[in-house]
Amino acid sequence: ARLELLAARIGGGASRVDEAEYAAVLEWATTHDAWDADRRAELARQRLGIEAIPASRRIDELSGGERTRLALAALIARQPDAVVMDEPTNHLDDDACAFVEEFLAGVPGVVLVASHDRVFLDRVCAVVVDLDAGASGTDGNGGGRGVAGFTDYLDVRADARRRWEETFRAQQDEMHALRRAAK
């Protein structure tokens, strides 16, 4: 709507400010493929299982699951540059989960997701970051950046645990040797 308003102003002899704003809004609309938003919204409604909900129904009349799916559909239709999601697959069927995975794979920027769904994490994650990495971290140097996919991350974390156990055993052996030497 803003783009159309600015286009009408430009046709009637707009100011440079209107022309600059038109260029910015046009760039945003092009980047987000605004002309295809209605099709994306309808596809999202179908794939997320909310196509039967009438558009006239008030949001406060929807169940929690329907609200979540509606919010996902709106997000997908908008086609954002970056996404932050908390447990996006909760209460979704397999088709809806696959659709969310497809969407996230196509996001051009950063996708930050918190989830306990290991299959989903394997399919979607390019990097896993451990926020509770411990003293030596998952990389052995105090860092918590993992590798692609959750299964790969679990392997890295297991290696980090093994390194920690070896270090702990070596420290314990050294402490026992020092105690024996002090006696």
Side-chain angles (χ1 to χ4, degrees):
R2 183 73 183 148
L3 188 63
E4 291 174 9
L5 174 69
L6 292 167
R9 282 188 192 166
I10 289 173
S15 69
R16 289 191 188 273
V17 172
D18 287 339
E19 290 175 4
E21 185 179 355
Y22 175 83
V25 173
L26 178 61
E27 181 180 350
W28 183 93
T30 302
T31 300
H32 291 87
D33 197 12
W35 295 272
D36 194 38
D38 290 339
R39 185 197 64 78
R40 286 192 309 273
E42 187 55 38
L43 178 63
R45 288 181 65 225
Q46 292 168 5
R47 296 280 307 269
L48 294 172
I50 56 172
E51 72 277 6
I53 299 172
S56 60
R57 192 158 166 204
R58 293 172 39 106
I59 291 176
D60 64 356
E61 296 172 351
L62 299 176
S63 71
E66 289 170 331
R67 288 181 194 184
T68 298
R69 289 170 186 252
L70 181 60
L72 276 170
L75 179 71
I76 290 167
R78 187 174 184 281
Q79 205 168 32
D81 295 329
V83 177
V84 176
M85 300 179 104
D86 182 22
E87 300 290 354
T89 60
N90 278 4
H91 312 294
L92 295 181
D93 59 29
D94 290 344
D95 187 47
C97 284
F99 184 60
V100 171
E101 290 168 9
E102 292 166 19
F103 160 69
L104 292 175
V107 172
V110 173
V111 173
L112 176 63
V113 62
S115 179
H116 292 90
D117 183 340
R118 292 179 176 201
V119 172
F120 169 78
L121 291 171
D122 261 341
R123 292 179 179 161
V124 172
C125 293
V127 174
V128 175
V129 177
D130 188 343
L131 298 178
D132 189 23
S136 61
T138 53
D139 64 1
N141 297 311
R145 184 180 170 136
V147 293
F150 193 72
T151 299
D152 291 339
Y153 164 72
L154 290 176
D155 292 341
V156 169
R157 192 173 77 175
D159 286 344
R161 175 66 185 202
R162 181 191 46 73
R163 286 190 310 271
W164 177 85
E165 288 174 357
E166 289 171 1
T167 301
F168 179 77
R169 277 192 298 274
Q171 290 170 346
Q172 293 299 308
D173 291 346
E174 184 178 344
M175 284 181 6
H176 291 305
L178 289 171
R179 285 185 188 142
R180 281 191 299 269
K183 288 183 180 180

